[in-house]
Amino acid sequence: MSGANRFVPTLRTGQAHPHPAPIGGDAYSAVELMPGYRLVILDQRKLPLQERYEFVSRVDEVADAIRNMLVRGAPAIGITAAYGLVVAAYAARGDAPSFLEAMSAADALLRASRPTAVNLAWALDQMKPVVANAANLPFVQRTEALAQAASGLHRAEVAACRMLGAHGLTLVPDGATILTHCNAGALATGGYGTALGIVRAAHEARKNIRVIACETRPYLQGARLTAWELHKDRIPVEVISDSMVAHFMAKKAIDLVVVGADRIARNGDVANKIGTYGIACIAAAHGVPLYVAAPWSTVDLKCSSGEDIPIEERPERELSHLPLADGNQLQLVPDGVGARNPSFDVTPARLVAAIVTERGLARPAGEASLANLRNG
């Protein structure tokens, strides 16, 4: 990969993908397809101190970017995986059988990169018929067919976030203080955001809101990413440690909780960043509503309950060591002591006041309300 210090929207103009601006947004974007069928990915590990973009031109690099969390957040992972198939198609210049073989291998590689976020498999499944239909096209046309399909998924996800934000706006009182956990903003979705989409919609409606962002140990997505996004958009935000949530709820300093999701089961159970379940329990004890914001692509109707959601175990070192700005790591745990590092937990539907999607609200969260959105 080669680095790029800033995002340059005009790189698209007059090229193979003539979009007037990045799909994800003019100021910054988690991932974009560039001329020459390369991806440019904002390395979210460098934030908030450095806004650095990486150019990716091989499908194994795309899988590594997902696995190593250069890009993260369920919708953004799905978008990146779809673009990964475009990168793979550009490299597969043989006849139809060899093209299909190469694309099958690329699909398997991308699908295995992170298991919990259902959007990854969803996006790859959406691309499957496009791959099959493009196999007999000339090389340039089949690559472009995949590029258009993946860009279409990207646009649809951003549009879904904006619609979701409009629905969620009704849940936010004027003057509210909103707690959020992890990062469910433009960086996690390809544009606008889910939980932060509701925050942005409320801000755009001139509601006098402010946000408290949990730091979200151990990867600090709240402190590094959510705070960076909101501060960049001039939305008032403060950071607290994860262990301070109960204190501030007892002080009545939080009016509602809005979080994203990586997978929502058919019964309304929600998998989200580790720590969400604890916040949900605290919120329930204090009568504070917790809302989950996610596009419909995050709802997995094939998954009956949270017990069936695979929970990703991240490397111990992410918990036992703290990355430093100079590239070194500060060891936090004594030598010889192990660490457990599940990346997600499951919040039962009974603790979720509503699930907000672009199709509307599932309220209360559960199988019946989700079925109404599916059938509607």
Side-chain angles (χ1 to χ4, degrees), residues 163-165 167-168 171 198 291-295 354-358 360-362:
M163 183 64 71
L164 181 160
H167 288 307
L171 303 173
I198 293 175
Y291 302 111
V292 173
I355 295 171
V356 188
T357 79
E358 72 274 23
L361 275 61

Side-chain angles (χ1 to χ4, degrees), residues 140-210:
V140 173
Q141 292 181 27
R142 72 188 182 196
T143 305
E144 185 61 22
L146 267 71
Q148 293 299 325
S151 295
L153 286 181
H154 192 170
R155 289 191 195 90
E157 287 290 272
V158 176
C161 285
R162 290 186 175 277
M163 183 64 71
L164 181 160
H167 288 307
L169 174 63
T170 62
L171 303 173
V172 182
D174 189 22
T177 297
I178 304 168
L179 178 78
T180 192
H181 186 65
C182 195
N183 172 260
L187 294 173
T189 61
Y192 202 69
T194 52
L196 294 195
I198 293 175
V199 169
R200 286 190 167 96
H203 180 71
E204 290 163 5
R206 299 186 182 279
K207 292 190 175 184
N208 183 29
I209 60 164
R210 61 188 307 106

